[in-house]
């Protein structure tokens, strides 16, 4: 059976100096000159048409050395403008293709062991279909995406996540999902295949990073329409100049008119727009987050309300049992033994800490084994777990859930002394778990958790960005309120169930808000599907991953904050470069308009504030700047404008100052320097 190659340093971000990317990108730049490809971008299509016309004019101008040299240089720089724009897109795509090539190393010609009628049969992995059952043992490569339906195993997922530490995958619960291309390290599991060939997680990941399936986002489409409208307006403006020139007794060559058009239309952002979108997806992938579409990345940048789980996101998530508090009339040893029994099959850190504390207090229920015990797993709906043994039932869980279980209806209440302890634990920031046997409350377990260092500052950053954070927890309202206040979140949802999570998302969306949330279980799938940005954990169930539009390969709930920041960075980058591109036109106007009409209207010489050498050098300098600025901005488009956690108004002022005012001023200096250089070597 084939074994996939190990993946190392998958998170490395290729630079612009990487020859393995630059070489193919240069070749792709020429391939993209195909008019069918350029037609997707109206701005660059106009530039390419202009390059074709000026090239024809150059060919027909032989015999007039001065005109031929000028027209030839204009034609050459127009072609460079198109090529540089193609190069920006090709480099962005090239980085994705480099990652895809690395991901393909995880593929192998695996022969799966398919179960049919209780017997194993060898089948090539590409022949597996949804619903097939396969067996995987130690050393086997998992042939396709699926769900563990039998057994438990240690799995190496480094080929997908880049994380070398193995993870446990087991039947049932929220750790049952496995990914094709990962490797079983121990034990035996039976997997139900959940994806047909070509639709697996790895297939989608490769297609995305290669940009083969990238669709333009709504904002990108809107900006493309705006750029197309601006292009049409400038075409009409430039076309009308010729009749005015003839009327004024002068003549403007087609080369100069095309140069003016190319310099006035927003070629900079037109050339970089696609690269910005691709780079946004790429930056998320560097954070080990797979976006199922560019739309998801963009939506992340527009999020108003992130919903964050308390445990593991806001707190450290390793709640420990510190105390057993018996109810009135209940012996401490009885409470301790029943709490231990109810936790024997609970593999969560909380469950293990309860068993450990009980053993330290002298309980020996674990030594007796699990024979005769029927375990009742925890569920988000019931919010409790426990055991059944014979006619006896033991449960531990949230206070309100235990109260309802004991009473048998929705109006149940706890004994006064237990409710008092529950309230005291909640007010101290702890989590109370109530233990009951045969619908009789035995007492309370005190769980302590710690708010993560620095998380309050992160929430303050989100608040400055205009986001309202909501903490989601299964804890009672008192505990939730204490943790929310300590962590600095804006709001909280206590005693959360899948139903009221979904209700909260719909309520926020009805108010015009975009909502983001994380989840890993089947119970989270409806809410993940409803949220505008649903981040599924890679360690979670297949249902959760299919419902979300992003998958966190590290299964780190805190990643939601970074996802929002990355989405905003993409939007900020697009806005900043659009501002810069449009602002550039001011300097180009002052360069070319005097060059066209100063001879006929001497008063227009006053507009030649840069004191450019001649009409030809002015036009040529503007065209050269227009081409080179795309190259200069490629690193910024790929890296993104530096993100700062500030509000929309300060951000707008900052961008207008740097990219608006800078976009006006910088070209004046650059065009003047180019003019000096080309005149010094007698190119104009």
């Amino acid at each position: 059976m084939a074994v996939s190659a190990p993946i190392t340093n998958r998170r490395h971000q290729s630079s612009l100096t990487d020859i393995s990317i630059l070489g193919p990108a240069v070749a792709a730049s020429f391939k993209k000159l195909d008019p069918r490809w350029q037609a997707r971008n109206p701005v660059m299509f106009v530039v390419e048409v202009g390059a074709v016309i000026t090239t024809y004019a150059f060919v027909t101008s032989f015999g007039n050395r001065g005109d031929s040299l000028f027209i030839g240089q204009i034609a050459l720089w127009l072609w460079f403008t198109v090529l540089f724009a193609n190069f920006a897109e090709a480099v962005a795509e090239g980085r994705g293709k480099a990652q895809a090539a690395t991901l393909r190393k995880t593929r192998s010609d695996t022969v799966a062991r398919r179960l049919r009628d209780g017997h194993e049969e060898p089948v090539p992995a590409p022949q597996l279909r949804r619903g097939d059952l396969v067996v995987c043992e130690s050393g086997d490569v998992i042939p396709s995406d699926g769900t563990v339906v039998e057994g438990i195993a240690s799995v190496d997922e480094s080929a997908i996540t880049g994380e070398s530490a193995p993870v446990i995958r087991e039947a049932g619960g929220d750790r049952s999902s496995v990914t094709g291309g990962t490797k079983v390290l121990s034990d035996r599991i039976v997997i139900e295949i959940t994806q047909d060939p070509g639709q697996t997680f790895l297939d989608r990941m490769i297609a995305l990073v290669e940009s083969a399936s990238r669709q333009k986002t709504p904002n990108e489409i809107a900006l493309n329409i705006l750029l197309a409208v601006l292009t049409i307006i400038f075409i009409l403006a430039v076309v009308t100049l010729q009749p005015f020139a003839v009327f004024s007794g002068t003549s403007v060559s087609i080369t100069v008119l095309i140069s003016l058009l190319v310099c006035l239309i927003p070629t900079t952002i037109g050339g970089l727009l696609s690269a910005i979108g691709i780079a946004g997806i790429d930056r998320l992938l560097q954070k080990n987050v797979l976006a199922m579409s560019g739309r998801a990345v963009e939506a992340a940048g527009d999020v108003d309300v992130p919903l964050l789980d308390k445990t593991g996101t806001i707190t450290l998530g390793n709640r420990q049992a510190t105390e057993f508090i018996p109810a009135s009339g209940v012996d401490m040893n009885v409470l301790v033994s029943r709490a231990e029994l109810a936790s024997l099959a609970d593999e969560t850190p909380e469950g293990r800490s309860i068993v450990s504390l009980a053993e330290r207090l002298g309980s020996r229920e674990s030594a007796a084994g699990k024979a005769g015990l029927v375990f009742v797993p925890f569920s988000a709906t019931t919010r409790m777990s426990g055991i059944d043994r014979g006619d006896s039932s033991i449960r531990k869980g949230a206070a309100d859930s235990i109260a309802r279980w004991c009473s048998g209806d929705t109006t149940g209440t706890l004994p006064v002394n237990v409710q008092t302890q529950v309230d005291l634990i909640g007010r101290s920031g702890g989590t109370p778990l109530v233990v009951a046997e045969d619908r009789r409350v035995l007492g309370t377990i005190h769980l302590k958790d710690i708010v993560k260092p620095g998380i309050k500052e992160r929430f303050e950053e989100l608040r400055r960005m205009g986001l309202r954070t909501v903490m989601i927890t299964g804890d009672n309202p008192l505990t939730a309120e204490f943790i929310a206040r300590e962590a600095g979140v804006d709001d909280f949802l206590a005693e959360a169930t899948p139903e009221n999570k979904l209700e909260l998302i719909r309520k926020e969306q009805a108010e015009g808000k975009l909502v983001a949330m994380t989840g890993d279980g089947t119970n989270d799938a409806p809410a993940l599907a409803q949220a505008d940005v649903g981040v599924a954990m890679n360690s979670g169930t297949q249902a959760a991953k299919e419902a979300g539009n992003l998958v966190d390969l590290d299964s780190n709930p805190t990643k939601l904050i970074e996802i929002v920041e990355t989405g905003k960075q993409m939007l900020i980058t697009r806005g900043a470069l659009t501002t810069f591109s449009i602002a550039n036109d001011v300097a180009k106007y002052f360069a070319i308009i005097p060059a066209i009409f100063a001879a006929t209207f001497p008063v227009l010489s006053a507009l030649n504030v840069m004191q450019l050498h001649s009409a030809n050098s002015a036009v040529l300098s503007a065209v050269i700047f227009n081409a080179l600025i795309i190259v200069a901005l490629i690193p910024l488009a790929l890296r993104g404008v530096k993100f700062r956690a500030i509000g929309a108004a300060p951000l707008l002022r900052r961008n207008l100052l740097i990219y608006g005012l800078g976009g006006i001023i910088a070209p004046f200096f650059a065009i003047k320097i180019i003019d000096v250089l080309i005149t010094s070597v007698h190119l104009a």
Side-chain angles (χ1 to χ4, degrees), residues 538-596:
N538 189 49
S539 62
T541 63
Q542 193 68 30
K545 290 196 282 188
E546 290 179 357
N549 48 21
L550 296 107
V551 177
D552 177 21
L553 302 179
D554 295 327
S555 300
N556 177 10
T558 312
K559 194 72 69 68
L560 179 60
I561 298 173
E562 296 180 43
I563 291 170
V564 171
E565 291 177 349
T566 301
K568 288 190 175 295
Q569 185 185 32
M570 187 182 79
L571 295 179
I572 291 168
T573 302
R574 189 183 294 158
L577 293 185
T578 300
T579 302
F580 185 86
S581 177
I582 295 173
N584 277 186
D585 290 346
V586 176
K588 299 169 194 174
Y589 179 88
F590 278 92
I592 297 181
I593 294 299
I596 297 175

Coordinates of all heavy atoms in Angstrom, one line a residue, residues 538-596:
N538 N -11.3 21.4 11.8 CA -11.0 20.2 11.0 C -11.1 18.9 11.9 O -11.3 17.8 11.3 CB -9.5 20.3 10.6 CG -9.1 19.2 9.6 OD1 -9.8 18.9 8.7 ND2 -8.0 18.6 9.8
S539 N -11.0 19.0 13.2 CA -11.2 17.9 14.1 C -12.6 17.5 14.3 O -12.9 16.5 14.9 CB -10.5 18.2 15.4 OG -11.2 19.3 16.1
G540 N -13.5 18.3 13.8 CA -15.0 18.1 14.0 C -15.6 17.1 13.0 O -14.9 16.4 12.3
T541 N -16.9 17.1 13.1 CA -17.6 16.1 12.3 C -17.7 16.5 10.8 O -17.5 17.7 10.5 CB -19.0 15.9 12.8 OG1 -19.8 17.2 12.7 CG2 -19.0 15.5 14.3
Q542 N -18.0 15.6 9.9 CA -18.1 15.9 8.5 C -19.3 16.8 8.3 O -19.2 17.7 7.4 CB -18.3 14.6 7.7 CG -18.2 14.7 6.2 CD -16.7 15.0 5.8 OE1 -15.8 14.6 6.5 NE2 -16.6 15.7 4.7
A543 N -20.3 16.7 9.1 CA -21.5 17.6 8.9 C -21.1 19.0 9.2 O -21.6 19.9 8.5 CB -22.6 17.1 9.9
A544 N -20.3 19.2 10.2 CA -19.9 20.6 10.5 C -19.0 21.2 9.4 O -19.2 22.3 9.0 CB -19.1 20.6 11.9
K545 N -18.1 20.4 8.9 CA -17.2 20.9 7.8 C -18.0 21.2 6.5 O -17.6 22.1 5.8 CB -16.1 19.9 7.6 CG -15.1 19.8 8.7 CD -13.8 19.1 8.3 CE -13.9 17.6 8.3 NZ -12.6 16.9 8.1
E546 N -19.0 20.4 6.2 CA -19.8 20.6 5.1 C -20.7 21.9 5.2 O -21.0 22.6 4.3 CB -20.6 19.4 4.7 CG -19.8 18.3 4.2 CD -20.6 17.0 3.9 OE1 -21.8 17.1 4.1 OE2 -20.0 16.0 3.4
A547 N -21.1 22.1 6.5 CA -22.0 23.3 6.7 C -21.2 24.6 6.7 O -21.8 25.6 6.3 CB -22.7 23.1 8.1
G548 N -19.9 24.6 7.2 CA -19.2 25.9 7.2 C -18.6 26.2 5.9 O -18.5 25.4 4.9
N549 N -18.2 27.5 5.7 CA -17.6 28.0 4.5 C -16.1 28.2 4.6 O -15.4 28.6 3.7 CB -18.3 29.2 3.9 CG -18.6 30.3 4.9 OD1 -17.9 30.3 5.9 ND2 -19.5 31.2 4.6
L550 N -15.6 28.0 5.9 CA -14.2 27.9 6.1 C -13.9 26.8 7.0 O -14.7 26.4 7.9 CB -13.7 29.2 6.7 CG -13.8 30.5 5.9 CD1 -14.9 31.4 6.5 CD2 -12.5 31.3 5.9
V551 N -12.7 26.2 6.9 CA -12.3 25.1 7.8 C -10.9 25.4 8.4 O -10.0 25.7 7.6 CB -12.2 23.8 7.0 CG1 -11.7 22.6 7.9 CG2 -13.5 23.4 6.4
D552 N -10.9 25.4 9.7 CA -9.6 25.7 10.4 C -8.9 24.4 10.6 O -9.3 23.5 11.3 CB -9.9 26.3 11.7 CG -8.6 26.6 12.5 OD1 -7.5 26.6 11.9 OD2 -8.7 26.7 13.8
L553 N -7.8 24.2 9.9 CA -7.0 22.9 9.9 C -6.4 22.7 11.3 O -6.1 21.6 11.6 CB -6.0 22.9 8.8 CG -6.5 23.1 7.4 CD1 -5.3 23.1 6.4 CD2 -7.5 22.1 7.0
D554 N -6.1 23.8 12.0 CA -5.6 23.6 13.3 C -6.6 23.4 14.4 O -6.2 23.1 15.6 CB -4.8 24.9 13.7 CG -3.6 25.1 12.8 OD1 -3.0 24.1 12.4 OD2 -3.2 26.3 12.6
S555 N -7.9 23.5 14.1 CA -9.0 23.3 15.0 C -8.8 24.2 16.3 O -8.9 23.7 17.4 CB -9.1 21.8 15.4 OG -9.3 21.0 14.3
N556 N -8.5 25.4 16.0 CA -8.3 26.4 17.1 C -9.4 27.4 17.0 O -9.4 28.3 16.2 CB -6.9 27.1 16.9 CG -6.7 28.2 18.0 OD1 -7.4 28.3 18.9 ND2 -5.6 29.0 17.7
P557 N -10.4 27.4 18.0 CA -11.5 28.3 17.9 C -11.1 29.8 18.0 O -11.8 30.7 17.4 CB -12.3 28.0 19.2 CG -11.9 26.6 19.5 CD -10.5 26.5 19.1
T558 N -9.9 30.1 18.5 CA -9.5 31.5 18.6 C -9.1 32.0 17.2 O -9.1 33.3 17.0 CB -8.2 31.6 19.5 OG1 -8.4 30.9 20.7 CG2 -7.9 33.1 19.8
K559 N -9.0 31.1 16.2 CA -8.6 31.5 14.9 C -9.6 32.5 14.2 O -9.3 33.2 13.3 CB -8.4 30.3 14.0 CG -7.7 30.5 12.7 CD -6.2 30.7 12.8 CE -5.5 29.4 13.3 NZ -5.5 28.3 12.4
L560 N -10.8 32.4 14.7 CA -11.9 33.3 14.2 C -11.5 34.8 14.2 O -11.8 35.5 13.2 CB -13.2 33.1 14.9 CG -14.4 34.0 14.5 CD1 -14.7 33.7 13.0 CD2 -15.6 33.7 15.4
I561 N -10.8 35.2 15.2 CA -10.3 36.6 15.3 C -9.3 36.9 14.2 O -9.4 37.9 13.5 CB -9.7 36.8 16.7 CG1 -10.7 36.6 17.8 CG2 -9.1 38.3 16.7 CD1 -10.2 36.7 19.2
E562 N -8.4 35.9 13.9 CA -7.4 36.1 12.8 C -8.1 36.1 11.5 O -7.7 36.8 10.6 CB -6.4 35.1 12.9 CG -5.5 35.1 14.2 CD -4.5 34.0 14.2 OE1 -3.8 33.8 13.2 OE2 -4.3 33.3 15.3
I563 N -9.1 35.3 11.3 CA -9.9 35.2 10.1 C -10.5 36.5 9.8 O -10.5 37.0 8.6 CB -10.9 34.1 10.1 CG1 -10.2 32.7 10.1 CG2 -11.9 34.1 8.9 CD1 -11.1 31.5 10.4
V564 N -11.2 37.1 10.8 CA -11.8 38.4 10.6 C -10.8 39.5 10.2 O -11.0 40.3 9.3 CB -12.6 38.8 11.9 CG1 -13.0 40.3 11.8 CG2 -13.8 37.9 12.1
E565 N -9.6 39.5 10.9 CA -8.6 40.4 10.6 C -8.1 40.2 9.1 O -7.8 41.2 8.5 CB -7.5 40.3 11.6 CG -7.8 40.7 13.0 CD -6.7 40.5 14.0 OE1 -5.7 39.8 13.7 OE2 -6.8 41.0 15.1
T566 N -7.9 39.0 8.7 CA -7.4 38.7 7.3 C -8.4 39.2 6.3 O -8.0 39.8 5.3 CB -7.1 37.2 7.2 OG1 -6.2 36.8 8.1 CG2 -6.6 37.0 5.7
G567 N -9.7 39.0 6.5 CA -10.7 39.5 5.6 C -10.8 41.0 5.5 O -10.9 41.5 4.5
K568 N -10.6 41.6 6.7 CA -10.6 43.1 6.7 C -9.3 43.6 6.0 O -9.4 44.6 5.3 CB -10.7 43.6 8.1 CG -12.0 43.5 8.8 CD -12.2 44.2 10.1 CE -13.6 44.1 10.6 NZ -14.5 44.8 9.7
Q569 N -8.2 42.9 6.2 CA -7.0 43.3 5.5 C -7.2 43.3 4.0 O -6.7 44.2 3.3 CB -5.8 42.4 5.9 CG -4.5 42.9 5.3 CD -3.4 42.0 5.6 OE1 -3.5 40.8 5.8 NE2 -2.2 42.5 5.8
M570 N -7.9 42.2 3.4 CA -8.1 42.2 2.0 C -8.9 43.3 1.5 O -8.6 44.0 0.5 CB -8.8 40.8 1.6 CG -8.9 40.6 0.1 SD -9.7 39.1 -0.3 CE -11.4 39.6 -0.1
L571 N -10.0 43.7 2.3 CA -10.8 44.8 1.9 C -10.1 46.1 2.0 O -10.3 47.0 1.1 CB -12.1 44.8 2.8 CG -13.0 43.6 2.7 CD1 -14.2 43.8 3.6 CD2 -13.6 43.5 1.3
I572 N -9.3 46.3 3.0 CA -8.5 47.5 3.2 C -7.5 47.6 2.0 O -7.3 48.7 1.5 CB -7.8 47.5 4.6 CG1 -8.8 47.6 5.7 CG2 -6.8 48.6 4.6 CD1 -8.2 47.3 7.1
T573 N -6.8 46.5 1.7 CA -5.9 46.6 0.6 C -6.5 47.0 -0.7 O -6.0 47.8 -1.5 CB -5.2 45.2 0.5 OG1 -4.6 44.8 1.7 CG2 -4.2 45.2 -0.7
R574 N -7.7 46.4 -1.0 CA -8.4 46.7 -2.2 C -8.8 48.2 -2.2 O -8.6 48.9 -3.3 CB -9.6 45.8 -2.4 CG -10.3 45.9 -3.7 CD -11.6 45.0 -3.7 NE -11.2 43.6 -3.6 CZ -12.0 42.7 -3.1 NH1 -13.2 43.0 -2.7 NH2 -11.6 41.4 -3.1
G575 N -9.3 48.7 -1.1 CA -9.7 50.1 -1.1 C -8.5 51.0 -1.2 O -8.6 52.1 -1.9
A576 N -7.4 50.7 -0.5 CA -6.3 51.6 -0.5 C -5.7 51.7 -1.9 O -5.3 52.8 -2.4 CB -5.2 51.0 0.5
L577 N -5.5 50.5 -2.6 CA -4.9 50.6 -4.0 C -5.9 51.2 -5.0 O -5.4 51.8 -6.0 CB -4.5 49.2 -4.4 CG -3.4 48.5 -3.6 CD1 -3.0 47.2 -4.1 CD2 -2.2 49.5 -3.5
T578 N -7.2 51.1 -4.8 CA -8.2 51.7 -5.6 C -8.0 53.3 -5.5 O -8.0 54.0 -6.5 CB -9.6 51.3 -5.3 OG1 -9.7 49.9 -5.5 CG2 -10.6 52.0 -6.2
T579 N -7.9 53.7 -4.2 CA -7.7 55.1 -4.0 C -6.4 55.6 -4.6 O -6.4 56.7 -5.3 CB -7.7 55.4 -2.5 OG1 -8.9 54.9 -1.9 CG2 -7.5 56.9 -2.2
F580 N -5.4 54.9 -4.5 CA -4.1 55.3 -5.0 C -4.1 55.3 -6.5 O -3.6 56.3 -7.2 CB -3.0 54.3 -4.6 CG -1.6 54.6 -5.0 CD1 -0.8 55.5 -4.2 CD2 -1.1 54.1 -6.2 CE1 0.5 55.8 -4.6 CE2 0.2 54.4 -6.6 CZ 1.0 55.3 -5.8
S581 N -4.8 54.3 -7.2 CA -4.9 54.3 -8.6 C -5.6 55.5 -9.2 O -5.2 56.1 -10.2 CB -5.6 53.0 -9.0 OG -5.7 52.9 -10.4
I582 N -6.8 55.8 -8.6 CA -7.6 56.9 -9.1 C -6.8 58.3 -8.9 O -6.9 59.2 -9.7 CB -9.0 56.9 -8.5 CG1 -9.7 55.7 -8.9 CG2 -9.7 58.2 -8.8 CD1 -11.0 55.5 -8.2
A583 N -6.1 58.4 -7.7 CA -5.4 59.6 -7.4 C -4.3 59.8 -8.4 O -3.9 61.0 -8.7 CB -4.9 59.6 -5.9
N584 N -3.7 58.8 -8.9 CA -2.6 58.9 -9.8 C -3.0 59.7 -11.1 O -2.1 60.3 -11.7 CB -2.1 57.5 -10.3 CG -1.2 56.8 -9.4 OD1 -0.6 55.8 -9.7 ND2 -0.9 57.4 -8.2
D585 N -4.2 59.6 -11.4 CA -4.7 60.3 -12.7 C -4.4 61.8 -12.7 O -4.3 62.4 -13.7 CB -6.1 60.0 -12.9 CG -6.4 58.6 -13.3 OD1 -5.4 57.9 -13.6 OD2 -7.6 58.2 -13.3
V586 N -4.4 62.4 -11.5 CA -4.2 63.8 -11.4 C -2.8 64.2 -12.0 O -2.8 65.1 -12.8 CB -4.3 64.3 -9.9 CG1 -4.0 65.8 -9.8 CG2 -5.7 64.0 -9.4
A587 N -1.8 63.5 -11.6 CA -0.5 63.9 -12.1 C -0.3 63.6 -13.6 O 0.3 64.3 -14.3 CB 0.6 63.0 -11.3
K588 N -0.9 62.5 -14.0 CA -0.9 62.2 -15.5 C -1.6 63.2 -16.3 O -1.2 63.5 -17.4 CB -1.5 60.8 -15.7 CG -0.8 59.7 -15.0 CD -1.6 58.4 -15.0 CE -1.1 57.3 -14.1 NZ -2.0 56.1 -14.1
Y589 N -2.7 63.8 -15.8 CA -3.4 64.8 -16.4 C -2.5 66.0 -16.6 O -2.5 66.6 -17.7 CB -4.6 65.2 -15.6 CG -5.5 66.3 -16.2 CD1 -6.5 66.1 -17.0 CD2 -5.2 67.7 -15.8 CE1 -7.3 67.1 -17.6 CE2 -6.0 68.7 -16.3 CZ -7.0 68.4 -17.2 OH -7.8 69.4 -17.7
F590 N -1.8 66.4 -15.6 CA -0.9 67.5 -15.7 C 0.3 67.2 -16.6 O 1.0 68.2 -17.1 CB -0.3 67.9 -14.3 CG -1.3 68.8 -13.5 CD1 -2.2 68.3 -12.7 CD2 -1.2 70.2 -13.7 CE1 -3.1 69.1 -11.9 CE2 -2.1 71.0 -13.0 CZ -3.0 70.4 -12.1
A591 N 0.6 66.0 -16.9 CA 1.7 65.6 -17.7 C 1.3 65.6 -19.2 O 2.0 66.2 -20.1 CB 2.3 64.2 -17.4
I592 N 0.1 65.1 -19.5 CA -0.2 64.8 -20.9 C -1.1 65.9 -21.5 O -0.8 66.3 -22.7 CB -1.0 63.5 -21.0 CG1 -0.1 62.3 -20.6 CG2 -1.5 63.2 -22.5 CD1 -0.7 61.0 -20.7
I593 N -2.0 66.5 -20.8 CA -2.8 67.6 -21.4 C -2.0 68.8 -21.9 O -2.2 69.2 -23.0 CB -3.9 68.0 -20.4 CG1 -4.9 66.9 -20.1 CG2 -4.7 69.2 -20.9 CD1 -5.6 66.4 -21.3
P594 N -1.1 69.3 -21.1 CA -0.2 70.4 -21.7 C 0.6 69.9 -22.9 O 0.8 70.7 -23.8 CB 0.7 70.7 -20.5 CG 0.0 70.3 -19.3 CD -0.7 69.1 -19.7
A595 N 1.0 68.7 -22.9 CA 1.8 68.1 -24.0 C 0.9 68.1 -25.3 O 1.4 68.3 -26.4 CB 2.3 66.7 -23.7
I596 N -0.4 67.9 -25.2 CA -1.2 67.8 -26.4 C -1.6 69.2 -26.9 O -1.5 69.5 -28.1 CB -2.5 67.1 -26.0 CG1 -2.2 65.6 -25.6 CG2 -3.5 67.1 -27.2 CD1 -3.4 64.8 -25.2

